[in-house]
């Protein structure tokens, strides 16, 4: 088994209970069946060696009381850590935060998650209470995460734009890619990318529409207040510092576009289990294996680090998640290669 799944969701029992009791779940979101045994079966059946667990949208925005949200975040993180400890080569996990509207509670959970639970990174939604991730209110969080050289996994959620009612298409299918793009642009305009260079930010679903839209945005808004007076070149350079997972995007057209746009070393495999249909997960895992096998060319050497296909299937994730790499016995040299960031998080 070779794939490392960086977009693999967890639904602990306490969270499922909170979801079912909440009146704040956005329209179009349906909670799927999940259990540790189902997760293990998914990775076994799809040639996945390891998965990085994260909570999906709407995360803890469904809990209105701040104290309850903080308590539930701690329970979810402890549950994920226990699952990681039970299956150390199968799972890593990302910290779940209370809503970013409670910055002090979030800072406390960041400290606990990294320093006491040895988390592999953190999960953020694209938007909180009408504010995208480049908003000044969130800079204390970015400062702390930058100090820790953290991996930050950004997952789309319902943002400022109301759900589309015509055509009658669920928001996660049609709206979420645009939310990822909006938040990515917000992080560039808000100078998150520029001011916090130690961050490794992963955009879900091949970056939403960003690889397709980036040149349009840069050419039309470069050098204007709409982009914070950044030049078109500066905007595109910062857009290419993001990492991109292939969840729900492992098809020929999106893959080819992303590979042309993203920096080498910045593409990761992701399944979106259990929200993606099982047949879709299997078909896309097969596509990733098949297409990346054609990219592997040792050039007469045995060095896997030179193989772009292996990097996408596994190597890029090993560099981003050194704790997992060490548990897999692949820690030595995991920080070497083509990535443009020093992999210090979690060492």
């Amino acid at each position: 088994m070779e794939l490392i799944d960086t977009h693999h969701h967890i639904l602990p029992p306490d969270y499922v209970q909170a979801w079912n009791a909440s009146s704040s779940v956005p329209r179009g979101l349906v909670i799927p069946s999940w259990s540790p045994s189902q997760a293990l079966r998914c990775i076994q059946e799809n040639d996945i060696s390891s998965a990085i667990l994260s909570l999906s949208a709407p995360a803890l925005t469904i809990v209105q009381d701040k104290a309850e949200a903080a308590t539930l975040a701690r329970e979810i993180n402890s549950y994920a850590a226990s699952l990681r400890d039970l299956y150390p080569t199968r799972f890593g996990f990302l910290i779940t935060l209370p809503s970013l509207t409670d910055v002090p509670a979030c800072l406390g959970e960041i400290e606990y998650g990294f320093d006491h639970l040895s988390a592999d990174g953190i999960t953020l939604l694209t938007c909180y209470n009408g504010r995208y991730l480049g908003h000044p209110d969130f800079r204390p969080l970015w400062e702390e995460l930058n100090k820790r050289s953290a991996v930050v996994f950004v997952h789309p959620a319902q943002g400022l734009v109301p759900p589309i009612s015509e055509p009658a298409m669920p928001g996660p299918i049609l709206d979420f890619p645009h939310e990822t793009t909006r938040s990515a642009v917000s992080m560039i305009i808000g100078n998150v990318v520029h001011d916090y260079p130690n961050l490794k930010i992963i955009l879900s679903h091949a970056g939403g529409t960003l690889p397709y839209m980036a040149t349009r945005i840069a050419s039309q808004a470069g050098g204007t207040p709409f982009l914070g007076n950044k030049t078109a070149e500066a905007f595109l350079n910062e857009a290419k510092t993001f990492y991109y997972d292939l969840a729900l995007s492992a098809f020929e057209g999106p893959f080819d576009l992303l590979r042309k746009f993203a920096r080498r070393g910045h593409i990761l495999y992701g399944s979106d289990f259990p929200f993606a249909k099982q047949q879709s997960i299997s078909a896309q895992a097969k596509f990733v294996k098949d297409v990346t096998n054609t990219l592997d060319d040792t050039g007469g050497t045995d060095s896997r680090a030179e193989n772009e296909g292996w990097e996408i299937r596994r190597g890029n994730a090993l560099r981003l998640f050194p704790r997992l790499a060490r548990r897999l016995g692949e820690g030595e040299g995991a920080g070497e290669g083509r990535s443009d960031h020093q992999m210090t998080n979690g060492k």
Side-chain angles (χ1 to χ4, degrees):
M1 294 187 290
E2 189 172 28
L3 295 171
I4 293 180
D5 185 355
T6 64
H7 190 138
H8 192 105
H9 294 306
I10 188 173
L11 292 168
D14 288 339
Y15 181 70
V16 173
Q17 183 178 356
W19 177 302
N20 290 332
S22 176
S23 60
S24 302
V25 176
R27 189 185 67 188
L29 290 180
V30 178
I31 195 164
S33 174
W34 179 91
S35 68
S37 62
Q38 288 174 301
L40 290 166
R41 184 164 60 250
C42 174
I43 64 177
Q44 178 71 33
E45 292 176 350
N46 292 289
D47 199 27
I48 299 167
S49 73
S50 310
I52 303 296
L53 304 173
S54 61
L55 194 69
S56 185
L60 296 189
T61 61
I62 62 173
V63 181
Q64 301 304 310
D65 182 87
K66 289 185 177 181
E68 290 180 9
T71 298
L72 184 55
R74 181 64 53 89
E75 292 170 349
I76 292 168
N77 292 326
S78 297
Y79 182 93
S82 68
L83 198 57
R84 183 269 323 275
D85 293 342
L86 189 60
Y87 303 101
T89 62
R90 290 291 179 257
F91 297 126
F93 83 96
L94 305 176
I95 298 167
T96 294
L97 292 182
S99 174
L100 263 66
T101 56
D102 189 355
V103 171
C106 290
L107 289 172
E109 199 59 30
I110 288 170
E111 178 183 7
Y112 186 82
F114 281 123
D115 296 346
H116 297 276
L117 299 180
S118 299
D120 296 287
I122 194 162
T123 303
L124 296 178
L125 299 181
T126 48
C127 186
Y128 293 86
N129 198 26
R131 290 170 291 177
Y132 289 97
L133 293 178
H135 194 282
D137 286 356
F138 302 143
R139 288 185 78 85
L141 296 173
W142 289 122
E143 289 171 5
E144 178 62 24
L145 294 170
N146 188 64
K147 290 176 184 176
R148 294 176 178 274
S149 297
V151 174
V152 181
F153 171 67
V154 177
H155 195 282
Q158 187 60 49
L160 293 172
V161 180
I164 296 172
S165 57
E166 293 293 336
M169 183 69 68
I173 296 177
L174 192 57
D175 299 349
F176 273 18
H178 304 294
E179 288 303 306
T180 298
T181 304
R182 287 176 179 273
S183 202
V185 173
S186 171
M187 286 186 279
I188 295 174
I189 296 173
N191 284 320
V192 171
V193 175
H194 179 273
D195 293 346
Y196 305 117
N198 296 331
L199 297 170
K200 282 84 69 175
I201 301 173
I202 304 171
L203 299 181
S204 298
H205 311 126
T209 61
L210 184 63
Y212 179 80
M213 292 286 295
T215 50
R216 172 188 172 100
I217 296 168
S219 65
Q220 293 300 105
T224 73
F226 293 114
L227 279 189
N229 296 314
K230 292 180 185 290
T231 65
E233 181 181 14
F235 173 83
L236 290 172
N237 285 338
E238 292 186 21
K240 293 181 183 218
T241 67
F242 293 120
Y243 290 77
Y244 298 85
D245 75 44
L246 291 170
L248 297 177
S249 307
F251 305 97
E252 183 177 359
F255 179 80
D256 290 346
L257 174 63
L258 180 61
R259 186 166 168 251
K260 291 177 181 177
F261 179 79
R263 292 180 181 174
R264 181 160 176 181
H266 284 229
I267 300 177
L268 307 157
Y269 169 71
S271 71
D272 215 335
F273 173 85
F275 289 89
K277 295 179 179 179
Q278 183 56 53
Q279 60 266 36
S280 178
I281 292 174
S282 297
Q284 292 185 61
K286 182 180 185 302
F287 172 86
V288 170
K289 288 181 287 184
D290 289 347
V291 74
T292 58
N293 280 330
T294 67
L295 300 178
D296 285 335
D297 180 4
T298 62
T301 73
D302 294 326
S303 174
R304 292 183 306 177
E306 294 301 314
N307 299 335
E308 184 182 1
W310 176 81
E311 291 175 356
I312 294 171
R313 294 190 301 273
R314 187 175 189 84
N316 297 334
L318 290 174
R319 287 191 285 269
L320 276 182
F321 301 110
R323 281 193 174 116
L324 175 64
R326 286 199 297 272
R327 293 198 301 274
L328 291 169
E330 301 180 55
E332 290 187 8
E336 300 172 0
R338 300 176 183 271
S339 176
D340 60 349
H341 292 292
Q342 182 180 5
M343 300 304 160
T344 58
N345 180 54
K347 291 188 177 180

